[in-house]
Structures are given as structure tokens and as C-alpha cells.
Amino acid sequence: MTKILRLVLGDQLNSQHSWFALPNSSVTYLMLEMRQETDYVTHHIQKVVGFFLSMRQFAQDLQEKGHQVYYLTLDDPQNLQDLSAQVHQLVKTEGFTQFEYQLPDEYRLDQQLQACCSDLGIPCQAFDTEHFLSDREFLTNFFKGKKSCLMETFYREMRKKYAVLMDGKDPIGGQWNFDADNRKALKDRSLLKKPRVHPKEVAHITQLLAASGVNCIGNIDPTRFNWPTSREESLEVLQYFCEELLVHFGAYQDALTTWDPYLFHSRLSFSLNCKLLSPLEVVQTVEAYWSRHQDQIGIAQVEGFIRQILGWREYMRGIYWAKMPEFGQLNYFGHERKLPDWFWTGNTKMNCLSQSIQQSLDLAYAHHIQRLMVTGNFALLAGIHPDEVDRWYLGIYIDAIEWVEITNTRGMSQFADGGIVGTKPYVSSANYIKKQGNYCSTCAYQAEKKTGEGSCPFNSLYWHFHARNRDLLEKNPRIGMVYRTWDKMSNRQEILDQAEDYLAHLKEL
Ligand SMILES: Cc1cc2nc3c(=O)[nH]c(=O)nc-3n(C[C@H](O)[C@H](O)[C@H](O)COP(=O)(O)OP(=O)(O)OC[C@H]3O[C@@H](n4cnc5c(N)ncnc54)[C@H](O)[C@@H]3O)c2cc1C
Ligand code: SF4
């Protein structure tokens, strides 16, 4: 008799997958809460809670639809806490004749499952997750023989392929990209909306984690866990985004402010990364909403949003599968420093960093510009080892799964890949942070000052970064201007000395 064991990983909660079209009495779905997954990096507590809650809800939904599910909670005595060991044991004791899994998105799990299957002794088959809009190899093939692999080229291809924001062969609005319109600082706080939250009681999970000795970072209110953990809740967050936030998304997507942690960002990354929502349905829902409300919502808002999902998200996945495992070792600048301890407390006098880190600890969330131009910018200027930076980002955010974390962190943010993802490092002095928001107005440091007491560390570190990496960056046509400015500056040595002093005292900044 055929007996099939099908694995569903914690980030494979796609209820629309063809596996679940009809219940089948010869199929058992396996879902596991495991120490292997809680411990491979130190996660934010909200991330672990978010995964476990979503998995439990998904398993319950499957059971209600008539599917057979074998679910092991973290404290189940039967739980071996290791994926391969558990699959081997179940196949042996329960007499499964076939093992099936969906292709994992992480290299680590991909390797583990291949090894697991190699000595399982029964036929094994891997299935597509039916989630992404391009397959793992698409990007590699797409850029074969081409000189550069720019996101923008890939994005335009995706727009055409899926007929998104297209008017026949041309982009709607006559332009592919409205980025230049989308760089405003927020001046009017009355525009802000409250996020659509789904407060839940999660003490049973926080107690489970504490009793099991799982080591976590970050804060949580066990009486009000606010992230969407089911498809229904995720669809509500998507709808709320269309109705209340899309109208200003693009304009303020690069804004930084102490007024609100989310601004007009969607808070959909966790739902997308667990596959509670599909990228195509998000893109199409947003496009359809915009089509019906073009008198209120500009094209720059909707294009800015769709580019993140149809463009950046798919592109990062393509880069991951094209470049792993080597990508995980890249350190273009040879940076070696450790992250200062205040990355785990928010306890620094630099207001932009203190706000962004404290918010990350409280909410397991920071928006893109906080990640890129505040924490990431500082880590790169300060010469922190990319391994350290990766571990921090992989742990702290609710949406952090390696395929999208490492490409953003090591690639886009730290330029440790030497220019695979980005054409130049995303670094700035205080000028950019000041222009984009209100962090600097209440900071202990002075954004205008480059040297001396109270000078903003971003300023001297920015020049130090360029000076120390001159041989690696000077030939980049997008950076030449920076060196021409530097060479004309009369106080270069003073700036370098100031930066050296800050680098020697990172912990005290
Ligand atoms: C250093 C660094 C680390 C990051 N780590 C992660 C991570 O671990 N997981 C993650 O999902 N995103 C990561 N990002 C990308 C981005 O910051 C988050 O996707 C976004 O902040 C999530 O919030 P949101 O859902 O409100 O996004 P919105 O601003 O509303 O954007 C909508 C959606 O677009 C997608 N998106 C936006 N930007 C990117 C991007 N650069 N790459 C891939 N998808 C994108 C996300 O799915 C997001 O939900 C990182 C960015 C940086 C600079
Ligand atoms: S002055 Fe410098 S450290 Fe302070 S908030 Fe502005 S950029 Fe950040």
C-alpha cells in the first residue's frame, strides 16, 4: 500500500499549493517545531512566535479540510529536534513508502534534505513551492552572456512577462521607474495611519520557549502579538495597505522619522516569506486597486511598491541561487570589526541608530531605509565583518530568511559581494539622514560637524571608508566624484584622525 510522507516547512504555508487541492488518505503532512530551526541563529522572540503560531494555524486548517497532519510541538517527547533524524525515524517506524518535500528556499535546508534523501531507502521527490514568479535558475539563465545583471533589466522583463502595469508593450505612465519622485521626507504627521494589527495572546508559546531554554533576542508583549499569522489576517493587512497606505507609499518610502515605525510600508514581508500570500496576488491586488482609484493614487506610488516585489524580491532570490554558497563568504573590503554591543540594546547616543535598533528590538521590524541607510550604513562605514552583520539581520527581523536576508545584507547593504547586487556601496554621511527625516534634530551629535567634540560619527567615518578603500572604489564611475571632492578638502587628516578615534571607541558612541 502506498504511504506518502510530505514535509511542510515553516516557511511553506501556501494553502493554495496543488498538494492541498484534495485530501488524500495515503498522504500524511509532516510539520515540525525544531531546535534545529530555533537555534541556527539567535532569533528575535517575535520571529519564533510568529513562525510557530502560523504553523499551528496552518496545520489546524489542513486538518479541518480533511488532510492528515503529523505535527510535533517543540516539547513533544517524540520530537528529535532534527529534520533528517525525524524523517528517517518516521519512515522506519510508520512504514512510509515515499517521501516528498517542497524545494526549500534556503541553501542550508536544501543540502540537508538532499543528504537526508540519499540514504532514506525509499523514493523521494521534490516539488516546486508554487510561490515565486521565477524559478531558482531563471536569473542565472536570464543574464547568461550579458555583461551586467542589473535588477532594473530583470524587473522590466518581469513586468512584460506578467503584464503588470503595462499598456501593450509599453509601461503604463510612459516610464518603467518613478524612483526619482519617491524620495520625500515626511513633514506632515497627520498623514500617518495606524497599522492594521491582529492582537493575539501568545503566552503559551513564550512559556514553551522559556521552558525549553530557547535563547532569543528582543521584546514581546505576550498579551498582544500583532503580526498576521494566517492567510485571512494577511489578506486583511493587504487590503488595508491598498485602502489606507498605498496612496503615500512611494512618496515616503525613503523617509525616516521618530513619529512612526511603519510609515506607509505594508508590513507584508512575513506573510509573503511564509507564503501565506503569493507575490502575484499581492501585485495584482494592488494593481487592480490602483486601477479603480487612479483619480486618488498616483502611478509613482503603485510602481514603487510593485517594483519591490516583482523586482527586488524575485531578483534577490535569483542572486541567492546563482551565487550560493560562495556568496555567504564574500568580504570585499576585508572588514574585521565586531558589532558594538549596543546593536543588542539600542543604547547609543546616535539617535538614528538608537531609534532604529530600539524599534527593531520592540517590533522585530524596521523599514527598508532604516535597515539600509541607518544600521547597514553604519556597519559598513565602521568596517564590521559581514558575518557579524548577517547574523544580526538574520536574527532580529520577523521576515528574516536567509535567501532574502543575506542578499540584502551582504549584497545590497554591505557591498561585501563587490558589486553583484548593487553598482556602488549604499553609504552616506549625516547629510542624507538629516535630509530624510527628524532623527538629527534631537541627537547628541551634530549632523553638520565633521570633526571635534559632538561631530556626527557618520561624517568622518564616511570619508574614512572612502579613503581606506580607495584602490577598490576609485575606478567605479559612480564614485569618482566623491574622490574629486575629497582631494579638494583641506582638513583631510583631521577627518581621518576623528574617524580613527571613533573607530577605537565604537562601544562608547
Ligand atoms: C540590510 C537589509 C536586510 C534586509 N533583510 C530582509 C529580510 O531578511 N527579509 C525580507 O523580507 N526583506 C529584507 N530586506 C528588505 C526590506 O527591507 C524588507 O522586505 C521590508 O522592510 C519589509 O517591510 P514591509 O513588508 O513593510 O515592506 P514594504 O516596504 O511595504 O515593501 C513591500 C514588500 O516588498 C518586498 N521588498 C521590499 N524591499 C525588498 C528588498 N530589498 N528585497 C526583497 N524584497 C523586498 C518585501 O516582500 C516587502 O514586504 C532587507 C533590507 C536590507 C537593507
Ligand atoms: S546627527 Fe548623526 S548620529 Fe545623530 S541622528 Fe543625525 S546622522 Fe544619526
Side-chain angles (χ1 to χ4, degrees):
M1 194 183 73
T2 308
K3 245 184 123 183
I4 304 171
L5 183 65
R6 278 183 177 168
L7 175 70
V8 179
L9 293 169
D11 66 345
Q12 296 180 336
L13 310 182
N14 176 8
S15 59
Q16 315 300 299
H17 194 280
S18 52
W19 268 7
F20 310 119
L22 284 175
N24 180 341
S25 59
S26 59
V27 173
T28 301
Y29 291 100
L30 172 64
M31 296 184 72
L32 303 167
E33 296 174 6
M34 291 176 281
R35 290 306 292 261
Q36 150 179 340
E37 295 305 299
T38 57
D39 295 3
Y40 71 87
V41 72
T42 310
H43 301 283
H44 196 295
I45 187 157
Q46 294 192 34
K47 183 179 172 190
V48 185
V49 168
F51 270 99
F52 283 8
L53 267 190
S54 307
M55 288 167 66
R56 289 178 183 197
Q57 181 66 54
F58 189 80
Q60 189 184 322
D61 292 348
L62 284 187
Q63 278 164 334
E64 281 167 9
K65 286 184 187 135
H67 298 283
Q68 296 183 95
V69 181
Y70 184 71
Y71 190 103
L72 287 179
T73 55
L74 197 70
D75 57 352
D76 193 303
Q78 306 296 320
N79 195 331
L80 300 177
Q81 310 293 348
D82 176 273
L83 177 57
S84 316
Q86 199 79 53
V87 169
H88 270 85
Q89 197 232 35
L90 277 170
V91 164
K92 205 161 125 198
T93 56
E94 304 297 321
F96 286 103
T97 60
Q98 217 164 303
F99 175 61
E100 298 178 348
Y101 64 96
Q102 294 179 24
L103 284 169
D105 291 322
E106 279 172 286
Y107 186 81
R108 170 181 73 87
L109 287 165
D110 200 53
Q111 295 289 298
Q112 187 182 9
L113 278 165
Q114 283 181 34
C116 172
C117 288
S118 68
D119 58 359
L120 201 55
I122 56 171
C124 299
Q125 196 179 346
F127 289 72
D128 195 90
T129 54
E130 302 175 10
H131 172 83
F132 289 99
L133 299 167
S134 47
D135 61 37
R136 279 181 179 183
E137 286 76 33
F138 179 83
L139 199 79
T140 315
N141 297 331
F142 180 65
F143 286 116
K144 208 166 252 167
K146 296 192 176 99
K147 272 194 192 139
S148 67
C149 46
L150 290 179
M151 196 295 281
E152 188 65 29
T153 318
F154 168 78
Y155 167 57
R156 291 180 190 187
E157 184 68 18
M158 296 296 277
R159 288 265 297 271
K160 289 185 223 159
K161 185 171 171 194
Y162 286 95
V164 172
L165 294 180
M166 295 299 292
D167 179 7
K169 285 189 181 142
D170 300 316
I172 289 184
Q175 271 170 245
W176 291 100
N177 183 320
F178 291 82
D179 220 10
D181 303 353
N182 287 345
R183 291 176 188 155
K184 283 195 194 159
L186 184 71
K187 299 270 158 63
D188 178 1
R189 88 188 275 176
S190 72
L191 292 178
L192 289 166
K193 301 279 177 190
K194 286 203 156 55
R196 173 78 176 92
V197 293
H198 295 87
K200 282 172 283 260
E201 167 68 56
V202 295
H204 57 301
I205 305 210
T206 53
Q207 280 157 14
L208 167 73
L209 295 176
S212 309
V214 174
N215 188 23
C216 286
I217 50 171
N219 308 316
I220 191 164
D221 176 354
T223 64
R224 278 184 73 86
F225 179 74
N226 280 332
W227 289 98
T229 51
S230 68
R231 181 165 165 77
E232 289 64 36
E233 290 175 356
S234 304
L235 286 169
E236 281 171 26
V237 174
L238 172 59
Q239 191 56 30
Y240 183 80
F241 173 74
C242 292
E243 289 168 7
E244 302 291 342
L245 307 173
L246 177 61
V247 64
H248 296 306
F249 175 85
Y252 300 112
Q253 79 185 58
D254 287 3
L256 292 166
T257 176
T258 54
W259 293 333
D260 187 78
Y262 304 113
L263 284 140
F264 303 96
H265 294 277
S266 66
R267 294 174 71 248
L268 284 170
S269 48
F270 178 70
S271 302
L272 275 163
N273 294 353
C274 291
K275 306 186 178 62
L276 293 167
L277 295 180
S278 90
L280 190 59
E281 78 180 324
V282 173
V283 164
Q284 289 179 339
T285 304
V286 170
E287 183 183 13
Y289 188 88
W290 167 76
S291 300
R292 296 193 302 275
H293 299 86
Q294 288 187 46
D295 51 332
Q296 296 150 37
I297 304 172
I299 177 79
Q301 314 307 315
V302 68
E303 189 282 317
F305 181 78
I306 285 177
R307 179 156 22 96
Q308 308 310 319
I309 296 177
L310 197 60
W312 279 112
R313 189 169 183 270
E314 294 287 323
Y315 176 78
M316 291 308 205
R317 176 166 179 269
I319 293 280
Y320 182 77
W321 285 106
K323 304 291 179 190
M324 281 298 278
E326 296 78 16
F327 198 88
Q329 308 297 320
L330 299 176
N331 185 1
Y332 185 62
F333 297 117
H335 285 161
E336 290 295 339
R337 282 196 183 80
K338 282 179 76 68
L339 271 179
D341 291 347
W342 44 259
F343 262 78
W344 285 270
T345 62
N347 201 1
T348 162
K349 296 190 285 298
M350 291 183 280
N351 197 35
C352 53
L353 281 153
S354 160
Q355 296 269 347
S356 302
I357 293 171
Q358 195 56 58
Q359 174 198 312
S360 303
L361 291 166
D362 289 343
L363 303 173
Y365 180 89
H367 64 70
H368 187 66
I369 293 301
Q370 291 176 309
R371 298 186 201 196
L372 187 65
M373 297 312 293
V374 180
T375 43
N377 186 7
F378 183 85
L380 179 53
L381 295 180
I384 309 295
H385 196 297
D387 285 356
E388 289 265 308
V389 189
D390 260 335
R391 269 197 296 274
W392 187 79
Y393 280 99
L394 188 57
I396 201 158
Y397 294 118
I398 188 144
D399 54 35
I401 304 182
E402 192 191 63
W403 65 270
V404 58
E405 175 280 321
I406 202 171
T407 42
N408 270 292
T409 302
R410 206 170 271 255
M412 182 190 274
S413 157
Q414 298 302 294
F415 204 76
D417 61 358
I420 297 171
V421 169
T423 50
K424 75 179 188 56
Y426 282 94
V427 283
S428 79
S429 62
N431 200 22
Y432 175 86
I433 297 175
K434 188 172 175 222
K435 186 161 64 71
Q436 289 308 115
N438 65 356
Y439 287 145
C440 300
S441 58
T442 50
C443 183
Y445 293 99
Q446 292 163 43
E448 296 76 20
K449 253 183 122 177
K450 290 191 184 65
T451 56
E453 181 136 8
S455 62
C456 169
F458 279 88
N459 292 334
S460 48
L461 290 177
Y462 173 81
W463 291 113
H464 191 276
F465 167 80
H466 283 100
R468 72 176 184 259
N469 292 309
R470 189 163 191 150
D471 55 332
L472 292 171
L473 296 175
E474 194 176 18
K475 291 206 178 73
N476 184 322
R478 295 193 64 204
I479 310 184
M481 185 63 194
V482 174
Y483 287 103
R484 284 195 288 283
T485 308
W486 173 240
D487 289 340
K488 282 188 212 140
M489 285 162 64
S490 56
N491 56 345
R492 293 198 297 272
Q493 194 52 50
E494 208 187 323
I495 291 175
L496 294 179
D497 290 346
Q498 179 65 72
E500 287 290 345
D501 185 52
Y502 280 147
L503 288 172
H505 299 96
L506 281 183
K507 284 185 185 167
E508 290 111 73
L509 290 181

